[in-house]
Amino acid sequence: MRLTGGCLCGAVTYASEGPWRPVIACHCSQCRKASGHYVSATSVPREGLEITGEVRWFQSSEEARRGFCPNCGSQLFWDGAGANTSIMAGTLEGPTGLATKGHIFCADKGDYYEIPEGSRQVEGNDPALTTRVD
């Protein structure tokens, strides 16, 4: 399934055939600080991600970097170890057919919101969620 997306100003766009991982919400303090809330992201194989425009990368930890538009500041990508690059779900052009399958780093969750009851919630990382592709 080919999906496309991009930043707020349109200077950076992307496309991929996938396969697309279900959306996972990350509540870690880095994601919350980078986005202003928690992050919901899908992912695709890095080699199948086509990016047009200049992406600025910020090395947010020893393990990962975050990609954003240098013009409008839209956070677009999270790139760490493994074969996939995460894509912020809110930057996709819809409809996507994707669904949120779980929440990670719930131990770091902000106190001003609740995670929906019945959602899969993990205190830290969960490779079964983050590396999964349906």
Side-chain angles (χ1 to χ4, degrees), residues 29-87:
S29 60
Q30 283 193 3
C31 281
R32 289 190 298 111
K33 286 183 178 186
S35 70
H37 196 37
Y38 63 85
V39 163
S40 291
T42 181
S43 73
V44 296
R46 187 176 294 109
E47 70 274 358
L49 178 59
E50 305 158 20
I51 300 172
T52 303
E54 178 191 354
V55 175
R56 178 132 335 128
W57 293 95
F58 172 69
Q59 192 74 39
S60 57
S61 70
E62 289 183 23
E63 296 83 28
R65 63 186 186 152
R66 295 169 188 272
F68 62 95
C69 173
N71 295 323
C72 67
S74 294
Q75 186 180 170
L76 299 164
F77 309 109
W78 183 94
D79 196 37
N84 282 11
T85 296
S86 292
I87 298 171

Side-chain angles (χ1 to χ4, degrees), residues 63-128:
E63 296 83 28
R65 63 186 186 152
R66 295 169 188 272
F68 62 95
C69 173
N71 295 323
C72 67
S74 294
Q75 186 180 170
L76 299 164
F77 309 109
W78 183 94
D79 196 37
N84 282 11
T85 296
S86 292
I87 298 171
M88 304 310 152
T91 66
L92 286 160
E93 303 295 331
T96 66
L98 299 174
T100 301
K101 295 292 184 180
H103 299 259
I104 58 173
F105 291 99
C106 295
D108 295 345
K109 172 187 122 19
D111 64 355
Y112 60 92
Y113 64 91
E114 296 300 321
I115 299 172
E117 287 189 36
S119 298
R120 181 164 178 189
Q121 299 181 34
V122 181
E123 293 294 305
N125 190 22
D126 183 353

